[in-house]
Protein backbone atom coordinates (compact mmCIF):
# COMPACT_ATOMS: atom_id res chain seq x y z
CA UNK A 1 0.00 0.00 0.00
CA UNK A 2 1.51 3.31 -1.11
CA UNK A 3 0.20 6.87 -1.05
CA UNK A 4 1.48 9.80 -3.04
CA UNK A 5 1.15 13.30 -1.61
CA UNK A 6 1.39 16.34 -3.85
CA UNK A 7 1.91 19.94 -2.75
CA UNK A 8 0.91 22.29 -5.57
CA UNK A 9 2.89 25.35 -6.53
CA UNK A 10 2.98 27.58 -9.57
CA UNK A 11 6.44 28.75 -10.49
CA UNK A 12 8.22 26.40 -8.10
CA UNK A 13 6.50 23.33 -9.52
CA UNK A 14 5.07 20.40 -7.62
CA UNK A 15 6.49 18.65 -4.58
CA UNK A 16 5.79 14.92 -4.35
CA UNK A 17 6.32 12.42 -1.52
CA UNK A 18 5.52 8.72 -1.83
CA UNK A 19 4.99 6.80 1.44
CA UNK A 20 4.63 3.06 1.89
CA UNK A 21 2.35 1.40 4.44
CA UNK A 22 5.14 1.45 7.05
CA UNK A 23 5.23 5.23 6.57
CA UNK A 24 8.68 5.14 5.02
CA UNK A 25 9.52 7.73 2.39
CA UNK A 26 9.95 5.72 -0.80
CA UNK A 27 10.36 8.55 -3.33
CA UNK A 28 10.68 12.33 -3.28
CA UNK A 29 10.46 14.74 -6.19
CA UNK A 30 10.96 18.38 -5.32
CA UNK A 31 9.95 21.20 -7.62
CA UNK A 32 8.79 18.86 -10.34
CA UNK A 33 7.67 20.67 -13.51
CA UNK A 34 3.92 20.37 -14.00
CA UNK A 35 4.44 18.79 -17.42
CA UNK A 36 6.21 15.78 -15.81
CA UNK A 37 3.52 14.99 -13.23
CA UNK A 38 1.63 12.36 -15.19
CA UNK A 39 4.75 10.42 -16.12
CA UNK A 40 6.04 10.39 -12.53
CA UNK A 41 2.66 9.37 -11.05
CA UNK A 42 2.29 6.53 -13.53
CA UNK A 43 5.89 5.36 -12.95
CA UNK A 44 5.51 5.39 -9.15
CA UNK A 45 2.07 3.72 -9.35
CA UNK A 46 0.69 4.68 -5.90
CA UNK A 47 -2.52 3.18 -4.56
CA UNK A 48 -3.93 6.65 -3.94
CA UNK A 49 -2.94 10.20 -4.88
CA UNK A 50 -3.58 12.96 -2.31
CA UNK A 51 -3.38 16.49 -3.73
CA UNK A 52 -3.25 19.68 -1.67
CA UNK A 53 -5.69 21.52 -3.92
CA UNK A 54 -9.38 21.63 -4.72
CA UNK A 55 -10.27 19.51 -7.77
CA UNK A 56 -12.75 22.10 -9.07
CA UNK A 57 -14.18 25.54 -8.38
CA UNK A 58 -16.99 26.06 -5.88
CA UNK A 59 -20.51 26.19 -7.27
CA UNK A 60 -21.67 29.64 -8.33
CA UNK A 61 -22.96 31.48 -5.26
CA UNK A 62 -22.08 28.60 -2.97
CA UNK A 63 -19.49 27.34 -0.52
CA UNK A 64 -18.01 23.88 -0.71
CA UNK A 65 -19.34 21.53 2.01
CA UNK A 66 -15.84 20.26 2.76
CA UNK A 67 -14.61 23.76 3.54
CA UNK A 68 -17.64 24.48 5.72
CA UNK A 69 -17.00 21.29 7.72
CA UNK A 70 -13.30 22.06 8.19
CA UNK A 71 -14.03 25.60 9.36
CA UNK A 72 -16.65 24.34 11.84
CA UNK A 73 -13.78 22.50 13.49
CA UNK A 74 -11.83 25.75 13.92
CA UNK A 75 -9.34 24.97 11.15
CA UNK A 76 -8.57 27.81 8.75
CA UNK A 77 -8.09 27.29 5.03
CA UNK A 78 -8.14 29.17 1.75
CA UNK A 79 -11.73 29.13 0.51
CA UNK A 80 -12.29 27.97 -3.04
CA UNK A 81 -14.29 30.55 -4.97
CA UNK A 82 -16.53 29.88 -7.92
CA UNK A 83 -14.85 30.28 -11.29
CA UNK A 84 -16.57 33.63 -11.71
CA UNK A 85 -15.36 34.91 -8.33
CA UNK A 86 -11.73 33.76 -8.57
CA UNK A 87 -9.05 36.41 -8.25
CA UNK A 88 -8.17 38.25 -11.44
CA UNK A 89 -4.85 39.19 -9.83
CA UNK A 90 -3.52 35.64 -9.68
CA UNK A 91 -4.10 34.64 -6.04
CA UNK A 92 -6.13 31.56 -7.01
CA UNK A 93 -3.80 30.49 -9.84
CA UNK A 94 -2.34 27.77 -7.61
CA UNK A 95 -5.84 26.27 -7.41
CA UNK A 96 -6.00 26.20 -11.21
CA UNK A 97 -2.64 24.41 -11.21
CA UNK A 98 -4.01 21.88 -8.72
CA UNK A 99 -7.09 21.33 -10.86
CA UNK A 100 -4.75 20.72 -13.80
CA UNK A 101 -2.96 18.09 -11.69
CA UNK A 102 -6.23 16.26 -11.08
CA UNK A 103 -7.04 16.39 -14.82
CA UNK A 104 -3.56 15.15 -15.79
CA UNK A 105 -4.15 11.81 -14.04
CA UNK A 106 -7.96 11.48 -14.00
CA UNK A 107 -8.05 8.63 -16.53
CA UNK A 108 -5.90 6.51 -14.18
CA UNK A 109 -6.82 8.11 -10.83
CA UNK A 110 -10.41 9.39 -10.98
CA UNK A 111 -11.60 11.86 -8.37
CA UNK A 112 -12.45 10.20 -5.05
CA UNK A 113 -16.16 10.56 -4.36
CA UNK A 114 -16.63 8.28 -1.38
CA UNK A 115 -16.27 4.56 -0.83
CA UNK A 116 -12.96 2.81 -1.38
CA UNK A 117 -10.23 5.39 -2.07
CA UNK A 118 -7.86 2.91 -3.74
CA UNK A 119 -7.06 3.94 -7.29
CA UNK A 120 -8.36 7.49 -6.87
CA UNK A 121 -7.08 11.04 -6.51
CA UNK A 122 -8.36 13.01 -3.55
CA UNK A 123 -8.22 16.53 -2.24
CA UNK A 124 -6.47 16.84 1.10
CA UNK A 125 -5.78 19.65 3.56
CA UNK A 126 -2.29 19.20 5.05
CA UNK A 127 -2.94 21.87 7.69
CA UNK A 128 -6.21 20.22 8.68
CA UNK A 129 -4.51 16.82 8.80
CA UNK A 130 -1.79 18.24 11.06
CA UNK A 131 -4.36 19.73 13.43
CA UNK A 132 -6.28 16.45 13.63
CA UNK A 133 -3.14 14.34 14.09
CA UNK A 134 -1.75 16.67 16.78
CA UNK A 135 -5.11 17.24 18.47
CA UNK A 136 -4.49 20.99 18.54
CA UNK A 137 -3.76 24.08 16.51
CA UNK A 138 -0.18 25.27 16.08
CA UNK A 139 1.20 26.14 19.52
CA UNK A 140 2.16 29.78 19.99
CA UNK A 141 5.81 30.49 19.31
CA UNK A 142 6.34 27.45 17.12
CA UNK A 143 6.85 27.81 13.39
CA UNK A 144 4.10 26.11 11.41
CA UNK A 145 6.35 23.81 9.41
CA UNK A 146 8.53 22.86 12.38
CA UNK A 147 5.32 21.83 14.11
CA UNK A 148 4.13 19.90 11.06
CA UNK A 149 7.46 18.11 10.71
CA UNK A 150 7.35 17.11 14.40
CA UNK A 151 3.86 15.67 13.85
CA UNK A 152 5.12 13.62 10.91
CA UNK A 153 8.01 12.32 13.02
CA UNK A 154 5.65 11.42 15.86
CA UNK A 155 3.54 9.45 13.36
CA UNK A 156 6.57 7.54 12.04
CA UNK A 157 7.35 9.68 8.98
CA UNK A 158 10.89 10.93 9.53
CA UNK A 159 13.21 11.48 6.60
CA UNK A 160 16.00 14.01 6.15
CA UNK A 161 14.73 14.83 2.67
CA UNK A 162 11.62 16.44 4.20
CA UNK A 163 13.25 19.76 5.03
CA UNK A 164 11.34 22.26 2.92
CA UNK A 165 7.79 23.28 3.92
CA UNK A 166 6.37 22.11 0.58
CA UNK A 167 7.84 18.61 1.01
CA UNK A 168 6.51 18.49 4.57
CA UNK A 169 3.04 19.35 3.25
CA UNK A 170 3.38 16.71 0.51
CA UNK A 171 4.29 14.15 3.20
CA UNK A 172 1.25 15.17 5.27
CA UNK A 173 -0.89 14.73 2.16
CA UNK A 174 0.59 11.27 1.58
CA UNK A 175 0.01 10.33 5.23
CA UNK A 176 -3.60 11.44 4.85
CA UNK A 177 -3.82 9.17 1.80
CA UNK A 178 -2.53 6.22 3.86
CA UNK A 179 -5.12 6.96 6.55
CA UNK A 180 -7.83 7.04 3.87
CA UNK A 181 -6.69 3.66 2.52
CA UNK A 182 -6.89 2.32 6.09
CA UNK A 183 -10.40 3.86 6.42
CA UNK A 184 -9.15 6.20 9.17
CA UNK A 185 -10.10 9.47 7.50
CA UNK A 186 -13.23 11.51 6.99
CA UNK A 187 -14.75 12.66 3.73
CA UNK A 188 -17.33 15.40 3.24
CA UNK A 189 -17.84 15.43 -0.49
Amino acid sequence: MRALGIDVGLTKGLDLVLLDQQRRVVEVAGRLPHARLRDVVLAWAPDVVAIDSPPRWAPAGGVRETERAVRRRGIQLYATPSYERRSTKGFHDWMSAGMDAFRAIEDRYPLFEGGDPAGSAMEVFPHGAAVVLAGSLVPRGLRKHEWRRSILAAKGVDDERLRRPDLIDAALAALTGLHALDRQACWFG
Side-chain angles (χ1 to χ4, degrees):
M1 187 168 60
R2 300 179 337 155
L4 174 61
I6 301 174
D7 182 73
V8 176
L10 286 173
T11 57
K12 71 160 184 76
L14 305 165
D15 288 281
L16 286 67
V17 173
L18 182 67
L19 296 179
D20 68 13
Q21 67 188 52
Q22 285 80 35
R23 299 180 180 180
R24 290 182 300 231
V25 176
V26 177
E27 299 281 356
V28 172
R31 299 185 173 138
L32 183 78
H34 292 261
R36 292 200 47 225
L37 175 66
R38 180 177 173 76
D39 292 338
V40 171
V41 171
L42 295 179
W44 291 0
D47 295 293
V48 69
V49 179
I51 303 174
D52 179 15
S53 171
R56 57 183 158 249
W57 300 105
V63 177
R64 297 172 59 224
E65 177 57 32
T66 300
E67 293 171 356
R68 247 194 311 269
V70 170
R71 284 194 171 146
R72 277 194 299 264
R73 287 161 175 76
I75 302 169
Q76 295 302 310
L77 53 80
Y78 292 114
T80 306
S82 65
Y83 179 79
E84 298 76 21
R85 296 186 59 111
R86 74 192 187 289
S87 170
T88 58
K89 297 181 180 178
F91 178 78
H92 296 110
D93 289 355
W94 70 271
M95 291 182 184
S96 291
M99 293 172 203
D100 290 344
F102 278 98
R103 279 191 296 277
I105 60 173
E106 70 185 348
D107 64 320
R108 175 59 182 85
Y109 293 92
L111 182 62
F112 175 70
E113 296 187 298
D116 184 358
S120 70
M122 62 179 56
E123 175 184 11
V124 296
F125 299 91
H127 177 67
V131 169
V132 170
L133 291 169
S136 69
L137 296 172
V138 182
R140 289 191 191 276
L142 194 58
R143 293 177 54 200
K144 177 175 65 173
H145 284 91
E146 290 173 0
W147 175 67
R148 290 181 185 180
R149 184 158 186 202
S150 71
I151 294 165
L152 285 169
K155 299 300 178 183
V157 180
D158 196 12
D159 190 291
E160 288 301 313
R161 294 174 285 180
L162 305 179
R163 291 203 173 272
R164 289 188 302 102
D166 299 321
L167 289 170
I168 292 167
D169 284 355
L172 277 165
L175 183 57
T176 302
L178 286 177
H179 280 284
L181 289 169
D182 280 340
R183 303 289 204 278
Q184 297 175 352
C186 58
W187 175 73
F188 297 102

